[in-house]
Amino acid sequence: PVTTQGSQQTQPPQKHYGITSPISLAAPKETDCILTQKLIETLKPFGVFEEEEELQRRILILGKLNNLVKEWIREISESKNLPQSVIENVGGKIFTFGSYRLGVHTKGADIDALCVAPRHVDRSDFFTSFYDKLKLQEEVKDLRAVEEAFVPVIKLCFDGIEIDILFARLALQTIPEDLDLRDDSLLKNLDIRCIRSLNGCRVTDEILHLVPNIDNFRLTLRAIKLWAKRHNIYSNILGFLGGVSWAMLVARTCQLYPNAIASTLVHKFFLVFSKWEWPNPVLLKQPEECNLNLPVWDPRVNPSDRYHLMPIITPAYPQQNSTYNVSVSTRMVMVEEFKQGLAITDEILLSKAEWSKLFEAPNFFQKYKHYIVLLASAPTEKQRLEWVGLVESKIRILVGSLEKNEFITLAHVNPQSFPAPKENPDKEEFRTMWVIGLVFKKTENSENLSVDLTYDIQSFTDTVYRQAINSKMFEVDMKIAAMHVKRKQLHQLLPNHVLQKKKKVNLEKGVKLTALNDSSLDLSMDSDNSMSTSFLFFFFLFFGRNSPAPAVTAASVTNIQATEVSVPQVNSSESSGGTSSESIPQTATQPAISPPPKPTVSRVVSSTRLVNPPPRSSGNAATSGNAATKIPTPIVGVKRTSSPHKEESPKKTKTEEKTSSTDLSDIPALPANPIPVIKNSIKLRLNR
């Protein structure tokens, strides 16, 4: 619905929202209302609005769950011999938070819920008797308890809707129906797990109370969340922003333009945050001290808080930074996306473009010339889910290491993961793959520049394996692989619809996926015409617990024309233009943006060639190569159900010295593991 806020204009004085005065109190014009209606029509095909019938079904399911909670708490109260007068009014309630509570959930989205119980109900009761009660419900499927999680949770599917239920025990004898969880006094005498569980509801409720108009906020947030997902910058775990962070940025925009409607707010969102002077924090209200001695975000007190690059502070006590995972690279990527979003919405407001342009998905796989591909594999689907979760939670550590390398300008991980081709077609194996785009600094004076990523990869894999073993999750055949891939080789790993571009892949040149097993990826026939004299060598980076040495390593020794390394036009993430009209108080100490780059770690590693490169021609054709294109093309989809290529055996014969039109399909296979092991080495040689 389009809300013009006309009624609010006639009620002076208008309520003040946020920590600063608004930038503009302008009321929406007719053109703004038309643009907002067009925005709604553009959003509909993306499934961001749920049908009324589905919404009513969710309400019904939550009602059933709420009744189950009340019934369970009465049973617990009776078993503990509480007075009948208390039992009759003991209460208990299900609260919701997250996207459902904010009113911006999409079709088929899950529901985040919180079970609030009185003081005589223990957490152990929640994970035993309540769990057993849920198990008896015929509508409940896929019931599982994660009691040892940082925030303990019961996960289930209730009549087709996925629900995560947290638990909090309050220091109250009864739970009234009109309980307001924003009351800070409720946190007194609670254990830390209950405080963490309450935090989601408290933050969500505060956000809704801190925006001038909830309908305008919701529609704007739907648009921004869709834009962020389409542009691959929606992932808290990988160092971008999660749902609550995007909600707080939109809420701050609404505070600065309290009378604006969605079409204007989307534009102002990009205006404000493309010019925001990070690391100044985004605050929806002044932090309050409740004297409960809980740790809060405060760079004046906590030195570690001074190093946060993009602080967005939750409005409920205890205040926390919701973006502590953001790195130099992810902030750089997001600020560049804000700037591009501003340029597009400028065009939309001038009727030079449609809203659909804002939601076009750029092709991540055409954006960079160099990529690191990570693969995680496990022997069963259940183990894969656990293993992938752990690996994904640590990828930001690898990105942080890569971006500190003195020769790397940017390390951009795509939040979307993909099924990977099997290592062995005859073996049951489940593999997941992530892709990290790299931008290398241009060299000016160095003729031969070697970039050694060995230490970065080794540190990452060691961290993952150590945690898996310490948490007793590790199983034999759980593996990680890493390799360096150039843009034109990505088609050998990813489905065609993901790599959609104008030109067809040069399959006629004989580039084939020779193997994704314990040997090599034969990419000697380099189809990248801008790097036609480059030689590519790959080693896989696998190692298992029972292996005396790594089974295979992933590595590459690559010659790169340094003058042609693709550097997207990404400026410093600090503000380069005008400043926002508002004034944000500076923190006591200006946070450091990044530590000084670490020295290159040199290891004595033998460089074993997997393929014999063709002889260099005297005329270096690579010098006339085209720079990498910056123009993205839309991604039609990102899912696939099977590997795009049939696996073949590893090949390493003299036949490989033929030209790029050679058919390699008839080359006989060598015995398994024909390549000497090189432990965790990824080296790139940048030549002028």
Side-chain angles (χ1 to χ4, degrees), residues 658-683:
K658 294 183 181 180
T659 63
S660 60
S661 61
T662 304
D663 183 1
L664 305 179
S665 60
D666 58 348
I667 298 175
L670 291 177
N673 301 325
I675 299 158
V677 167
I678 302 173
K679 185 171 183 180
N680 302 339
S681 173
I682 291 191
K683 288 189 175 184

Side-chain angles (χ1 to χ4, degrees), residues 373-381 383-393 395 417-423 429-435 460-461 464-465 473 477-483 540-542:
V373 175
L374 292 178
L375 300 101
S377 62
T380 68
E381 175 62 14
Q383 289 175 353
R384 184 194 72 85
L385 288 172
E386 294 179 338
W387 185 231
V388 162
L390 175 60
V391 173
E392 187 175 53
S393 71
I395 289 177
S417 61
F418 303 91
K422 283 189 177 182
E423 182 184 358
E429 191 175 35
F430 298 87
R431 292 157 62 88
T432 298
M433 178 168 57
W434 297 267
V435 185
F460 167 69
T461 55
V464 174
Y465 279 104
M473 186 190 89
D477 292 330
M478 282 183 170
K479 303 173 190 173
I480 312 173
M483 57 184 171
F540 271 108
L541 176 65
F542 282 112

Side-chain angles (χ1 to χ4, degrees), residues 450-463 466 541 543 550 553-555 557 598-608 678-685:
S450 294
V451 180
D452 188 355
L453 305 182
T454 302
Y455 179 81
D456 304 317
I457 298 293
Q458 181 70 59
S459 298
F460 167 69
T461 55
D462 286 352
T463 299
R466 191 183 306 114
L541 176 65
F543 58 93
T553 55
V557 182
K598 65 177 182 293
T600 304
V601 178
S602 300
R603 292 192 179 187
V604 180
V605 181
S606 60
S607 299
T608 304
I678 302 173
K679 185 171 183 180
N680 302 339
S681 173
I682 291 191
K683 288 189 175 184
L684 295 89
R685 191 173 301 120

